[in-house]
Amino acid sequence: MKISLIIWATALFSNLISLLIAPQVYVRVLKFCFPFLLETYAATTVFAGAVSVYLYFSRRENPHSYFTYVMKNFLTYVLPVFFSARAYFVLKTESVLLRTDLLLLTKLERTLMSSLFLILHHFPAGTFQMLDFIYERVWFFSHVLVPLICLSRNRKTVELFYSATSILYVVCGLLHLALPVLSPFYVFEKGFSFLPESLSTLSFHNQSWSCQLAIKKGVLDSSCIFQSIRAFPSFHVAYAYLVYLIAKNSTRSRIIHALCLLYFVLIAAGSVMLGYHFFSDGLVAVLVVVLWNRLLFRKKS
């Protein structure tokens, strides 16, 4: 089966499931989520378009055929990822409405988290400020890769990136629903007292908690669908690992490999140290990417 069919099937499946499970949330999230995602994708797509125009005139191959190739990739791969992302936010929001919190991971990792707190209290404030910037700002801007990857002539890179991203949205959304685990910040709030008050992370945590209360009361606005209440698994960590994997598979540059590996390590560290995720959240997320990569290309070979 073509990878493009898998990606579109994943997008349709995720939207159908989210519509059946949470019809009211689906309609309301559509109202707020669609414009946000459209604006985000539009901004990155404009950038990708500028790059493609440059390559259109600079490549030795037929510019028309290359431009057609890019547009085909955009319609085939980028658009279904957009719809999968929408379904992910629906399922994540519905998991908050369930009014249940699974404490299994909390109990399993309580000792580990408590030991970590003792160590992190001795870290300088600059460490958390740096992680805050990477986790919030750099990770957001790394999504420029979503339209940019469709410029690549490396078919393996294109297929892995878009198929893995779609699968991650579906898996993370369904697991948020099936295993509604609270982020550690809300479980061990006093344990994170070492975080500097100036961090945007703290503002986001507080806003997310207010969003949870609002969602449970039936109030749903544009800010509530992007809350960080649900932790298992970590889409942040999975996406960062995917970026590293793409770099490793598509270029021989050791500098790029090192930078992408550092990016992944910092995102993984920030997810725990800033109170967004448990260790297991990132571990399971990376495992999904690893298994999908092996399944995808072992089957093709």
Side-chain angles (χ1 to χ4, degrees), residues 99-154:
R99 302 173 184 270
T100 57
D101 298 315
L102 188 67
L103 300 179
L104 176 61
L105 291 180
T106 303
K107 295 178 180 179
L108 290 175
E109 299 198 38
R110 181 177 294 276
T111 302
L112 186 59
M113 294 297 293
S114 298
S115 301
L116 180 66
F117 295 149
L118 295 176
I119 298 173
L120 294 182
H121 271 89
H122 299 288
F123 277 47
T127 302
F128 305 106
Q129 292 168 347
M130 179 269 293
L131 290 175
D132 181 75
F133 178 78
I134 298 294
Y135 198 86
E136 295 288 344
R137 300 289 185 267
V138 177
W139 187 84
F140 178 82
F141 285 110
S142 71
H143 278 70
V144 73
L145 288 174
V146 173
L148 277 180
I149 291 295
C150 74
L151 304 177
S152 173
R153 278 292 193 185
N154 188 323

Side-chain angles (χ1 to χ4, degrees), residues 33 65 286-287:
C33 185
S65 65
V286 169
L287 185 61

